[in-house]
Amino acid sequence: MADQLQQLKQHSLVVADTGDLEAIRRYQPQDATTNPSLLLKAFSLPGYQAMIDEELSQVKAAGGAREQQLPHAVDRLAVAVGSEIAAVVPGRVSTEVAARLSFDTQASIAKAHELIELYEARGVGRDRVLIKLASTWEGIRAAEVLEREGIQCNLTLLFSDAQAQACFDAGVFLISPFVGRVTDWYKNATGKDYAPDEDPGVKFVQGVCERANQGGYETVVMGASFRTTGQVLALAGCPRLTISPALLEELASTEGQVTPQIAPPGGNGKPFPVLSEADFRWGHNQDPMANDKLAEGIRRFHDDQLELETLIDQRLG
């Protein structure tokens, strides 16, 4: 019998949630996704040190004020890592717009353009890249513009039905509803451990998939932020699943039948009513978990970006 990872790949497109090239080569995912937290980990990996030195020498040679150099250095490193990953995976690499821009539509669009230009300068076309944006109202509006320009997007930090619907309305390419962080919130609130079939994070993503199918939306749903292989397997059949190396290893070393848990597209194709900004903000506001986790996620990504900038500052000397 094939291992669970190989069986899972028959039902869902597997994406590596890491910037570790060795892990990506080992598990052979279709796509890979990165964020400031994963870049921070990559910063300490031996295989990336020569690349980091080269990128920072380019930043230093360009001159300019240090407060401008640091975010640009993070972008260069993100694209350098992403370009290496693009040479390994057959599909796409997701690269994140800085969390500090999560509430600024125009600045998010401008940053996306900068990232695409950096990729294209390295010979990686926009068709190999997904721009990651937080699923705020402003981030979704930025994605709507970028999609019309042919720059496809991955909307992350998604915790509510309102966020999912607004992304469907905007026609974004892909959304990443979170599993583990949703479950974390409910476990902290209730003190309860959940079996996979009653896991709040799993049920949330199942609901997002059902909404996408019923409404006939083309947006790809990618389950993200897994804590256990049980959560992963409970979402077999979700179009895409982004999984950490530790869980990929566990799946690859475990035998057992994997059956799809998510119904394939085939709903009535009748879209839900389009959300206005007021509808979106009210709907999201009514979900305490979603409010808490979106705000926390933006803060955490920003904190990791600041830590990465501090390390770069020290390395620049």
Side-chain angles (χ1 to χ4, degrees), residues 56 60 66 69-70 309-317:
L56 296 191
K60 199 167 185 177
R66 186 57 63 92
Q69 285 183 327
L70 295 178
E309 290 179 2
T310 299
L311 292 174
I312 291 170
D313 193 30
Q314 294 169 355
R315 194 115 161 202
L316 286 171

Side-chain angles (χ1 to χ4, degrees), residues 175-257:
I175 58 174
S176 298
F178 279 30
V179 179
R181 295 194 196 184
V182 172
T183 305
D184 292 346
W185 190 93
Y186 282 100
K187 287 177 69 173
N188 289 335
T190 66
K192 180 180 178 181
D193 285 324
Y194 294 93
D197 61 348
E198 60 178 10
D199 186 298
V202 170
K203 286 184 172 296
F204 168 59
V205 178
Q206 288 173 339
V208 172
C209 290
E210 290 171 6
R211 178 178 286 263
N213 290 346
Q214 184 177 343
Y217 300 108
E218 295 184 0
T219 297
V220 176
V221 179
M222 180 171 75
S225 173
F226 291 101
R227 300 288 183 258
T228 68
T229 56
Q231 291 177 328
V232 174
L233 297 176
L235 287 169
C238 181
R240 301 190 190 199
L241 300 170
T242 180
I243 308 170
S244 69
L247 295 183
L248 288 171
E249 173 62 29
E250 189 174 340
L251 290 165
S253 59
T254 304
E255 290 189 355
Q257 190 69 32

Side-chain angles (χ1 to χ4, degrees), residues 96-292:
E96 193 139 342
V97 167
R100 62 168 62 97
L101 304 180
S102 296
F103 302 102
D104 190 329
T105 296
Q106 294 306 315
S108 294
I109 293 170
K111 178 60 68 177
H113 290 162
E114 292 174 17
L115 292 170
I116 291 297
E117 288 173 6
L118 288 171
Y119 268 112
E120 290 179 338
R122 290 174 172 272
V124 180
R126 63 182 61 189
D127 61 322
R128 300 291 312 284
V129 179
L130 292 178
I131 296 296
K132 282 182 81 174
L133 297 150
S135 300
T136 58
W137 179 258
E138 295 81 5
I140 296 168
R141 297 282 69 77
E144 186 174 35
V145 172
L146 293 167
E147 293 282 354
R148 289 200 297 264
E149 296 176 350
I151 298 173
Q152 294 184 314
C153 300
N154 171 356
L155 273 290
T156 188
L157 295 176
L158 196 148
F159 302 99
S160 71
D161 291 338
Q163 288 175 295
Q165 185 60 51
C167 289
F168 295 150
D169 295 342
V172 303
F173 177 76
L174 182 145
I175 58 174
S176 298
F178 279 30
V179 179
R181 295 194 196 184
V182 172
T183 305
D184 292 346
W185 190 93
Y186 282 100
K187 287 177 69 173
N188 289 335
T190 66
K192 180 180 178 181
D193 285 324
Y194 294 93
D197 61 348
E198 60 178 10
D199 186 298
V202 170
K203 286 184 172 296
F204 168 59
V205 178
Q206 288 173 339
V208 172
C209 290
E210 290 171 6
R211 178 178 286 263
N213 290 346
Q214 184 177 343
Y217 300 108
E218 295 184 0
T219 297
V220 176
V221 179
M222 180 171 75
S225 173
F226 291 101
R227 300 288 183 258
T228 68
T229 56
Q231 291 177 328
V232 174
L233 297 176
L235 287 169
C238 181
R240 301 190 190 199
L241 300 170
T242 180
I243 308 170
S244 69
L247 295 183
L248 288 171
E249 173 62 29
E250 189 174 340
L251 290 165
S253 59
T254 304
E255 290 189 355
Q257 190 69 32
V258 175
T259 56
Q261 305 296 314
I262 304 294
N268 58 26
K270 184 179 179 181
F272 292 83
V274 174
L275 293 184
S276 67
E277 180 177 353
D279 292 334
F280 168 85
R281 295 195 186 280
W282 180 252
H284 185 75
N285 182 73
Q286 293 304 97
D287 189 332
M289 175 278 297
N291 267 286
D292 290 351

Side-chain angles (χ1 to χ4, degrees), residues 24-64:
I24 292 169
R25 291 190 181 99
R26 186 178 311 123
Y27 301 113
Q28 300 180 332
Q30 175 71 17
D31 295 352
T33 180
T34 64
N35 59 44
S37 306
L38 297 175
L39 285 175
L40 192 58
K41 293 177 184 177
F43 199 83
S44 62
L45 294 175
Y48 282 120
Q49 300 312 303
M51 174 197 298
I52 292 169
D53 288 339
E54 172 61 25
E55 293 306 313
L56 296 191
S57 70
Q58 296 290 332
V59 170
K60 199 167 185 177

